[in-house]
Amino acid sequence: MTQTTTETAARTTTRLLHGYGRLTWPQARALLSGCACTWTDFDGIHLQDTPPDELPVAATHLWAWNRTGDRLVRLRFDTPGILYAAVLTPADADAVPDTAGVPPARGFPEEVTVTERRTILRDPQERSAAALPPEFTERTWHLVEVPGESPLTFVRADPEP
């Protein structure tokens, strides 16, 4: 996703990182229950209050979040039909994300320190690419970053203004 450098002060918190590998779309979609989602593909940028019914074609990632923003999901699409998922939950969460019976990868969940920043996707005056629809530019977006050897970035948007 394109982002500008317009950011506010960062906030650091502790979360639980749940990792899942080699999921099918139905298994990965179970992680998205109750979440809004955003992704880009050949048809442009998408934002839905519910997960897409079908695996997005030509997308590389899909980001999702629940209404409170305390559960964040990042899906990475590799070979056709194979997905990798990472889920962030509060550090004190007892619930394990529902993955239709697929257990997390070895070593997960893992307690991690994350940095959250508010940002905008792109300044509405930016003219180097097609304008983003208002439902993107009028929202506050958050980047939640897990640093380390294999860093991850999760994305979420505040509910509609």
Side-chain angles (χ1 to χ4, degrees):
M1 299 187 78
T2 305
Q3 76 180 59
T4 69
T5 56
T6 304
E7 296 180 349
T8 59
R11 179 175 66 110
T12 302
T13 60
T14 301
R15 298 258 193 141
L16 284 180
L17 176 64
H18 307 261
Y20 301 89
R22 301 191 62 83
L23 299 175
T24 64
W25 177 243
Q27 292 167 329
R29 196 171 187 286
L31 290 169
L32 306 176
S33 178
C35 290
C37 302
T38 191
W39 71 94
T40 58
D41 60 21
F42 290 148
D43 293 326
I45 189 167
H46 305 270
L47 177 62
Q48 292 184 188
D49 289 333
T50 59
D53 292 328
E54 300 294 326
L55 177 69
V57 176
T60 60
H61 291 80
L62 180 146
W63 295 271
W65 56 94
N66 65 352
R67 188 91 177 132
T68 59
D70 64 351
R71 182 168 55 98
L72 305 173
V73 182
R74 176 187 181 269
L75 298 181
R76 186 184 84 214
F77 309 134
D78 277 353
T79 57
I82 302 297
L83 300 99
Y84 297 87
V87 180
L88 278 179
T89 60
D92 59 356
D94 291 328
V96 174
D98 179 14
T99 55
V102 176
R106 187 177 9 189
F108 290 98
E110 174 186 358
E111 191 171 281
V112 294
T113 300
V114 302
T115 302
E116 182 171 345
R117 294 176 175 79
R118 289 187 336 182
T119 189
I120 58 173
L121 293 182
R122 187 171 63 216
D123 186 316
Q125 303 306 312
E126 172 66 43
R127 301 285 187 228
S128 64
L132 291 172
E135 63 259 33
F136 289 91
T137 58
E138 294 173 358
R139 291 181 186 232
T140 298
W141 291 82
H142 301 260
L143 301 178
V144 181
E145 300 161 331
V146 180
E149 189 176 307
S150 300
L152 297 169
T153 300
F154 293 80
V155 177
R156 75 172 176 89
D158 285 343
E160 290 185 64

